[in-house]
């Protein structure tokens, strides 16, 4: 299981990230926290030169969090199929209120091979 604790700052808000005009935890930041928890859940499980990339996300953001609020995020591996790893993710507030939940799917890749497949931008 991957777990992280985060305190919402002004940089985490919908207003700051352009996903709304309120000073509450933005959905894109909640997603980033969930993905960070999945990385923590994979720590130590990957071989040398391996990393993982996100491929699918289903996230429901069901509760608001003000600046200064605590958010605890967990990611639990629920399915492995070869290189594919699926996680259940959940975020709860300081008093146990559910803030968000969903699934994140990642695929384990060879870092160099993955980067080698990318197109390089043309220089002007």
């Amino acid at each position: 299981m991957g777990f992280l604790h985060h305190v919402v700052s002004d940089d985490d808000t919908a207003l700051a990230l352009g996903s709304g005009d309120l000073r509450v935890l933005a959905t894109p930041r909640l997603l980033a926290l969930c993905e960070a928890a999945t990385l923590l859940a994979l720590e130590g499980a990957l071989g040398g030169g391996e990393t993982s990339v996100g491929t699918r996300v289903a996230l429901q953001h069901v509760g608001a969090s003000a600046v200064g609020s605590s958010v605890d995020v967990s990611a639990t591996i629920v399915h492995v199929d070869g290189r594919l790893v699926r996680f259940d993710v959940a975020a709860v507030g300081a008093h146990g209120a559910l803030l968000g939940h969903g699934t994140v799917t990642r695929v384990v890749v060879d870092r160099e091979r993955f980067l080698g497949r990318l197109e390089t931008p043309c220089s002007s």
Side-chain angles (χ1 to χ4, degrees):
M1 174 184 281
F3 178 83
L4 63 87
H5 176 81
H6 183 77
V7 176
V8 178
S9 73
D10 282 321
D11 293 338
D12 299 318
T13 65
L15 180 62
L17 294 176
S19 67
D21 61 3
L22 297 176
R23 290 185 64 239
V24 296
L25 179 65
T27 302
R29 183 67 81 217
L30 178 60
L31 172 56
L33 293 170
C34 288
E35 287 202 287
T38 67
L39 293 176
L40 291 171
L42 285 174
E43 265 186 4
L46 301 179
E50 289 184 324
T51 189
S52 68
V53 294
T55 60
R56 179 175 288 205
V57 174
L59 181 67
Q60 293 185 339
H61 192 171
V62 297
S65 304
V67 171
S69 297
S70 293
V71 178
D72 292 322
V73 181
S74 62
T76 305
I77 297 172
V78 294
H79 180 77
V80 177
D81 184 6
R83 298 179 308 124
L84 182 139
V85 184
R86 187 174 312 123
F87 302 84
D88 279 346
V89 294
V92 296
H95 300 291
L98 184 65
L99 303 174
H101 61 93
T103 60
V104 174
T105 303
R106 301 187 71 81
V107 173
V108 176
V109 298
D110 178 272
R111 182 184 310 272
E112 286 187 28
R113 191 170 4 164
F114 182 85
L115 291 174
R117 291 184 189 148
L118 297 178
E119 293 183 28
T120 54
C122 298
S123 56
S124 312

